[in-house]
Amino acid sequence: MDAKFIAFSLCSFCFLPLFLHVAYGDLSYSFPEEMKRGSVIGNLAKDLGLDTGALSNRRARIDTDGSDKRYCDINLNNGELIVADRIDREELCEEKASCILKHELVLENPLELHRISLHIQDVNDNSPQLKDDKINIEIQESAVRGARFVIEEAHDADVGQNSVQQYSLKKNDNFILAANGNTIELVLDKELDREKQQEINLLLTALDGGSPQRSGTVVIHVTVLDANDNAPVFSQAVYKASLPENSPVDTVVVTVSATDADEGINGDVTYDFGHVIENVKKIFSIDRKSGEIKVIGTVDYETTTSYEIRVKAKDGLGLSSYAKAIISITDVNDNAPVVNLKSLTNPIPEDTTAGTEVGIINVQDRDSERNRQVCCSIQQGAPFKLVPSIKNYYSLVTTGQLDRELVSDYNITITATDEGSPPLSSSKTVQLSVADINDNPPVFEEQSYSAYVSENNKPGSTLCSVTARDPDWRQNGTVIYSLLPGEVNGAPVSSYVSVNGDTGVIHAVRSFDYEQFRSFKVQVMARDNGSPPLSSNVTVSVFVSDVNDNSPQILYPAPEGNSFMTELVPKAAHGGSLVSKVIAVDADSGQNAWLSYEIVKST
Ligand SMILES: *[C@@H]1O[C@H](CO)[C@@H](O)[C@H](O)[C@H]1NC(C)=O
Ligand SMILES: *[C@@H]1O[C@H](CO)[C@@H](O)[C@H](O)[C@H]1NC(C)=O
Ligand SMILES: *[C@@H]1O[C@H](CO)[C@@H](O)[C@H](O)[C@H]1NC(C)=O
């Protein structure tokens, strides 16, 4: 700084390029702070009109009033007032608008005292300063446009124009600056969105009015605090899943997921079902935290083939959103076919012709598609078959002639098998009886019967018995015996023998005489009680055997007249000559008729 800038005045802020003599010899200099040591402030000798030589003679010196700190000195050779120490206005006067240092020039012989006022002018040697390098502020994202946030003002050690004059905020999306006197405020110009930008750095510059201008900057670090301004958002509007029926409990069907852009409790998503029917709650559960939809009950395709579940995601403070879970149940072959007997003719007569429909069967399977395709079969060996009819109906039809006497009951097992994998089957046994038809005549055990009886038998004695069998049922198989009409020796056969109708035992009605007849034949009929009845005939031959019931009879000599026989015998007859011949007969036969003769008495 050059001396020509030095002013000398009574009034501190009136810089004049002249200096003036003052009545009491007071001197005033105005100069900028921070001049180098030795810089010239002014010329005391000139200003006081002193001879330079007198300065040293009069022992001129600069003194301070009450302080031993001297900021200037006098060059005794030329009378210049020079800077002796660093003069920092800010240190000496801080914020005072005028900064005046008081010194005194002392001259001796005679003693002279001149007050020197040094007006220290401010130099813009300090930049505006903000308290910290960084200002942290937190702002709710819900803050509305126009909201104001006070920022601590900047400080500049300089004064006047050199102190802080204005502020500027680096252009940004959200804030503008409002400075009003000492109050600086950030004004929210566009609302914040934490989910877009969580932290914002603003650059605030404070400018002073000096020349050259100095500035100070600070970063304002804005942390945007969350507000629950976001509802949870599902990753899909519709979640589709397919689930086999009968899936075990705890099977995870599908996991729904929603995110919430908010943070903390605002972004804490929990899941629940929306409005669903009670049944759904018995079958599925949703995990509040994970969103897993799990099976908790019985999943039955036959009951419900698909579920549509409203799912809700809620954040901590109650914003919700909804999605849909569509769960399609897939069929599993878990139902065996069911065989129903719709009608049955039972019993069926044994004369039913082959091909007659005797029953109608219906087969049902609750599963679907292949799992409900059913094939129906019947066990081998019985004279029946299944004939497929409309839809899942079958006719049970006879395939051959029935014979009750051979098989009277059939247990017909019908098996239905579906085409699932593995297949399921079930069977039903139909009991079928064959009703009797009188198709068998009684049959005698023997081709013919013979009875042997001794003559003179007692009337009523048993001769023999006949037996006929009839395999038919009840009256159709009940055998009744009877004699067929006929004659023996011109008399009705019934006068000789009788037959017990129930037992077939044949009795003699009279006593037989071998000598009258030795044998005879009768016809016995066995008849069943059917309608019409069937019968068969058999011949019973009765043989009468001899009993010695006749005495021999002497035919010659004739027994009539007297009992003496006269035979003439010649005198000359030799011994051994034939005299006579006795002839006798016996009506019996065999041994009973063998005769022997002997002379009972002779003279
Ligand atoms: C048929 O089944 C019934 C009952 O199970 C049984 O009593 C009967 O003996 C069976 N009949 C045949 C011919 O197998
Ligand atoms: C005997 O056979 C006839 C047909 O010949 C039949 O109508 C009747 O029902 C049968 N009787 C019995 C008890 O089976
Ligand atoms: C048995 O004899 C009677 C009488 O002669 C006759 O009507 C019937 O047809 C005969 N039965 C048989 C099976 O020959």
Side-chain angles (χ1 to χ4, degrees), residues 407-411 429 431:
V407 185
S408 63
D409 284 293
Y410 290 97
N411 284 344
T429 300
Q431 254 181 299

Side-chain angles (χ1 to χ4, degrees), residues 130 137 145-154 164-170 172 174-189 202-205 220:
L130 289 124
I137 59 175
R145 185 161 182 261
R148 289 171 173 255
F149 306 92
V150 175
I151 303 295
E152 196 180 343
E153 65 197 293
V164 179
Q165 297 300 307
Q166 56 171 327
Y167 293 91
S168 79
L169 185 66
K170 191 170 173 220
N172 68 88
N174 300 93
F175 294 94
I176 53 170
L177 201 64
N180 182 8
N182 282 340
T183 318
I184 325 153
E185 287 170 320
L186 285 180
V187 178
L188 189 62
D189 193 40
L202 301 171
L203 197 65
L204 177 69
T205 307
I220 302 173

Side-chain angles (χ1 to χ4, degrees), residues 120-166:
I120 311 300
Q121 294 169 334
D122 186 36
V123 165
N124 194 20
D125 58 352
N126 286 285
S127 299
Q129 243 183 1
L130 289 124
K131 200 169 130 209
D132 298 301
D133 294 345
K134 198 173 174 186
I135 298 173
N136 288 311
I137 59 175
E138 293 182 338
I139 302 177
Q140 287 279 335
E141 64 173 319
S142 55
V144 294
R145 185 161 182 261
R148 289 171 173 255
F149 306 92
V150 175
I151 303 295
E152 196 180 343
E153 65 197 293
H155 179 261
D156 192 322
D158 296 324
V159 293
Q161 277 299 114
N162 292 338
S163 69
V164 179
Q165 297 300 307
Q166 56 171 327

Side-chain angles (χ1 to χ4, degrees), residues 135 257 371 537:
I135 298 173
S257 150
N371 295 339
N537 297 339

Side-chain angles (χ1 to χ4, degrees), residues 455-475:
E455 57 177 331
N456 305 331
N457 58 300
K458 280 193 194 129
S461 62
T462 299
L463 296 180
C464 70
S465 79
V466 296
T467 309
R469 305 212 178 271
D470 187 328
D472 286 325
W473 185 243
R474 298 267 163 87
Q475 61 262 43

Side-chain angles (χ1 to χ4, degrees), residues 24 81 102 138 173 226 233 258-259 278 286 304 315 322 356 358 408 466-467 471 481 516 557 559 588:
Y24 303 103
L81 183 65
K102 305 244 185 243
E138 293 182 338
D173 290 340
D226 189 47
V233 177
T259 49
E278 277 310 303
I286 186 163
T304 313
D315 66 24
Y322 294 88
T356 305
V358 298
S408 63
V466 296
T467 309
Y481 302 96
Q516 255 186 343
D588 292 321

Side-chain angles (χ1 to χ4, degrees), residues 484 525 535-537:
L484 284 177
M525 179 168 76
S535 66
S536 46
N537 297 339

